[in-house]
Amino acid sequence: MTDNTNTHPFDQAVQLTGTADSYEGHTSPHYANMVGPFGGITAATLLKAILIHPQRQGDPLSLTVNYAAPVADGRFHIQAKPVRTNRSTQHWYVELEQQGQVAATATAVCANRRHTWAATELPFPAVPAAQDVASLARAGFPAWVNQYDLRLIQGGMTPLVPIADPQTLVDSVSLLWIRDEPRRSLDFLSLTAIADTFFPRIYVRRQQFVPVGTVSFTLHFHADAAALAVVGERAVLGHARANRFYNNYFDQTAEVWSPEGDLLATSSQIVYFKE
Amino acid sequence: MTDNTNTHPFDQAVQLTGTADSYEGHTSPHYANMVGPFGGITAATLLKAILIHPQRQGDPLSLTVNYAAPVADGRFHIQAKPVRTNRSTQHWYVELEQQGQVAATATAVCANRRHTWAATELPFPAVPAAQDVASLARAGFPAWVNQYDLRLIQGGMTPLVPIADPQTLVDSVSLLWIRDEPRRSLDFLSLTAIADTFFPRIYVRRQQFVPVGTVSFTLHFHADAAALAVVGERAVLGHARANRFYNNYFDQTAEVWSPEGDLLATSSQIVYFKE
């Protein structure tokens, strides 16, 4: 890949070439995780295959990504298929393949939304402004963490400091300001990746590393493109927690808010962990 | 369809015949909703196509159902495809078709779970026992509601009583005991349907009917078959809420608990509404 210095590393990472029948992409060293790419960049790349598809109608409403196997560094192919198109919704199935094997799947719904009565029931958390919170020191984290400015208010982790008691914390709740580093205007693709930037809840709860991997990640969008444009390059507020850790798997539910308290997206995921 | 009086209506409704390449099913009048079948029975039927598949490995961990179009009363075909099988997880894609058109899709992950450290962070709600709560009077509701015993503690709705002020309630939270009617031992299939029995949140919040339809429904299982067997024929506790209503769509997050306070499943869905 040629390094286009005019293009944000995020846009390089989600770049796809080819035709609608088979898009080709390439993993980015900037978004590398401990094994394979950061799951959020894979989710954004699968969504991008839909958004650039010539038959796409409407904006993303719902996305579920199933991580079937680690994505190996290098090329991958994506097929995005509109399985049903209605007047106001369009349903998609997407597969990411490497060496003829499925490494990830996604389903998604795009929709045309109209103005209606609206209400947000979940309260916006009481937090200090992003500029009043220190950025996370990123030494010791995988490469992708360097692509984000993370300002932790609650529920962080310190990879370089061994913790004597591995069950220090009573919960796994995290609350943090998040933005792309370098800055980039928020859109559906970057919001998708941002919604997966929360460290695995078991790291926060137990303050120690164990092998983990997201198995399934679901995102519901509660905002349209105009609302994301209002956020622009500013940080969004992320709030994440686990409900249950049980027999190799834990879940995570999370919300992403605009600085003004607009709920932009909610997510749930289920994550493998090994003891 | 022959009426087998020895079979529970739920098992009749999710019955599939044929081979793994193309299962055939039939909608059940017992689980009819206002338009087409109750979404929970469709979700359970899609999951059943996986569970009876000869290549299936492990128990359900995650399920996402996308409702692409109303399912018409009558026959439907289901294809369930294992897209990737690993040592401990198996990834599925499922399509439900009528007249050659996709009416619903699902992705799912099955997994072999081992005993690990466990913790439930979400507190079990303080509630009266099921036997101390009155069953919902089911007159005026669609057929499927008769297949459940619903004991509402908070956040119900009364379809036969017009409400003067349509915005009476300050939130859409519902808390209720739920079991199959007639009684049936809990398993992954009935738990899937039960997780979708919550009335649309906009009905609860605004105490009025508007056209609605679930677009995407995600369920994460936090229990194994043995834990479900412990529940047996008793009611489970459901807890549901909306986070945001915005421009034709609202979400719902929900939990299903055993009577002893084991968190069995968590779900999220996004639902269309019309004004």
Side-chain angles (χ1 to χ4, degrees):
Chain A
M1 294 207 324
T2 51
D3 181 44
N4 181 349
T5 50
N6 292 321
T7 305
H8 192 284
F10 182 87
D11 295 289
Q12 289 177 26
V14 300
Q15 194 179 349
L16 294 173
T17 57
T19 65
D21 286 337
S22 179
Y23 292 111
E24 184 176 312
H26 196 288
T27 57
S28 161
H30 296 109
Y31 287 86
N33 203 346
M34 281 180 277
V35 178
F38 161 50
I41 206 77
T42 300
T45 307
L46 290 163
L47 180 60
K48 186 170 183 191
I50 295 170
L51 296 191
I52 63 173
H53 195 288
Q55 291 175 48
R56 195 255 303 181
Q57 292 180 17
D59 281 337
L61 174 70
S62 179
L63 172 71
T64 293
V65 177
N66 288 348
Y67 299 90
V71 175
D73 290 339
R75 287 184 192 178
F76 52 79
H77 289 85
I78 296 181
Q79 273 199 309
K81 184 183 162 197
V83 294
R84 180 94 186 216
T85 301
N86 302 312
R87 203 178 44 174
S88 69
T89 58
Q90 188 174 49
H91 289 255
W92 290 85
Y93 178 60
V94 189
E95 285 188 348
L96 184 153
E97 286 192 354
Q98 282 185 316
Q99 279 83 45
Q101 282 208 295
V102 173
T105 68
T107 58
V109 184
C110 290
N112 295 307
R113 307 175 82 137
R114 292 181 181 194
H115 180 76
T116 64
W117 171 81
T120 302
E121 292 199 1
L122 195 70
F124 181 60
V127 289
Q131 65 265 26
D132 297 330
V133 183
S135 291
L136 178 73
R138 289 169 287 208
F141 285 106
W144 72 267
V145 179
N146 292 292
Q147 301 307 128
Y148 291 97
D149 180 277
L150 305 171
R151 295 171 184 241
L152 276 150
I153 300 155
Q154 178 188 352
M157 58 178 303
T158 49
L160 299 179
V161 182
I163 304 287
D165 176 359
Q167 300 204 29
T168 306
L169 297 187
V170 295
D171 67 34
S172 69
V173 177
S174 284
L175 194 52
L176 66 161
W177 290 103
I178 311 160
R179 66 165 174 81
D180 285 301
E181 178 61 47
R183 290 178 189 271
R184 181 183 177 280
S185 278
L186 191 68
D187 58 18
F188 288 110
L189 297 179
S190 62
L191 176 57
T192 297
I194 281 171
D196 194 37
T197 54
F198 304 103
F199 297 126
R201 297 296 91 196
I202 197 163
Y203 291 3
V204 176
R205 172 67 185 265
R206 304 188 68 181
Q207 293 287 307
Q208 63 181 7
F209 287 99
V210 292
V212 297
T214 297
V215 174
S216 186
F217 169 66
T218 290
L219 189 58
H220 295 150
F221 295 99
H222 300 293
D224 46 29
L228 304 189
V230 168
V231 176
E233 297 188 346
R234 293 176 299 157
V236 292
L237 184 72
H239 199 185
R241 71 211 59 83
N243 293 307
R244 190 172 193 191
F245 304 82
Y246 180 70
N247 288 3
N248 290 131
Y249 293 92
F250 64 87
D251 69 334
Q252 175 191 282
T253 58
E255 300 89 39
V256 180
W257 299 86
S258 82
E260 288 78 27
D262 275 340
L263 184 57
L264 303 175
T266 49
S267 82
S268 60
Q269 59 181 276
I270 192 135
V271 182
Y272 170 80
F273 73 94
K274 190 178 178 182
E275 279 197 315
Chain B
M1 293 206 324
T2 52
D3 180 43
N4 181 349
T5 51
N6 291 320
T7 304
H8 192 285
F10 181 87
D11 294 289
Q12 288 176 26
V14 300
Q15 195 178 348
L16 294 173
T17 58
T19 64
D21 286 337
S22 179
Y23 292 112
E24 184 176 311
H26 195 289
T27 58
S28 162
H30 295 109
Y31 288 86
N33 205 346
M34 283 179 276
V35 178
F38 161 50
I41 207 76
T42 301
T45 307
L46 290 163
L47 181 60
K48 186 170 183 191
I50 295 169
L51 296 191
I52 63 174
H53 195 288
Q55 291 174 49
R56 194 255 304 180
Q57 291 180 17
D59 282 336
L61 174 70
S62 180
L63 172 71
T64 292
V65 177
N66 288 347
Y67 299 91
V71 175
D73 289 340
R75 287 185 193 176
F76 51 80
H77 288 85
I78 296 180
Q79 274 199 309
K81 184 183 163 196
V83 294
R84 180 91 188 220
T85 301
N86 303 312
R87 203 176 47 172
S88 68
T89 57
Q90 188 174 49
H91 289 255
W92 292 85
Y93 178 61
V94 189
E95 285 187 350
L96 185 152
E97 285 191 355
Q98 282 186 317
Q99 279 81 46
Q101 281 207 297
V102 173
T105 67
T107 58
V109 184
C110 290
N112 295 306
R113 307 174 81 135
R114 294 181 179 194
H115 180 76
T116 63
W117 171 80
T120 302
E121 291 198 3
L122 196 69
F124 182 60
V127 288
Q131 65 265 26
D132 298 329
V133 183
S135 291
L136 179 73
R138 288 168 289 206
F141 284 105
W144 72 266
V145 180
N146 292 291
Q147 300 308 128
Y148 292 96
D149 180 275
L150 305 170
R151 297 172 183 240
L152 276 150
I153 301 155
Q154 178 188 352
M157 59 177 304
T158 49
L160 299 179
V161 182
I163 305 286
D165 175 359
Q167 300 204 28
T168 306
L169 298 187
V170 296
D171 67 35
S172 69
V173 177
S174 284
L175 195 52
L176 67 161
W177 290 103
I178 311 160
R179 67 165 172 80
D180 285 302
E181 178 62 47
R183 289 179 189 270
R184 180 182 177 282
S185 279
L186 190 69
D187 58 18
F188 289 111
L189 296 179
S190 62
L191 177 57
T192 297
I194 282 171
D196 194 37
T197 55
F198 304 102
F199 297 126
R201 296 299 89 197
I202 196 163
Y203 292 3
V204 177
R205 172 69 185 263
R206 303 188 69 180
Q207 293 286 309
Q208 63 180 7
F209 287 99
V210 291
V212 297
T214 298
V215 174
S216 186
F217 169 64
T218 290
L219 190 58
H220 295 151
F221 296 100
H222 300 292
D224 46 29
L228 304 189
V230 168
V231 176
E233 297 186 346
R234 294 177 298 157
V236 292
L237 183 72
H239 199 184
R241 70 211 60 81
N243 293 307
R244 189 172 194 192
F245 304 83
Y246 180 71
N247 287 5
N248 290 130
Y249 294 91
F250 64 87
D251 70 334
Q252 175 191 282
T253 58
E255 301 89 40
V256 181
W257 299 86
S258 83
E260 288 78 27
D262 274 341
L263 184 56
L264 303 175
T266 49
S267 82
S268 60
Q269 59 181 275
I270 191 136
V271 182
Y272 170 81
F273 74 96
K274 190 178 176 179
E275 278 197 318

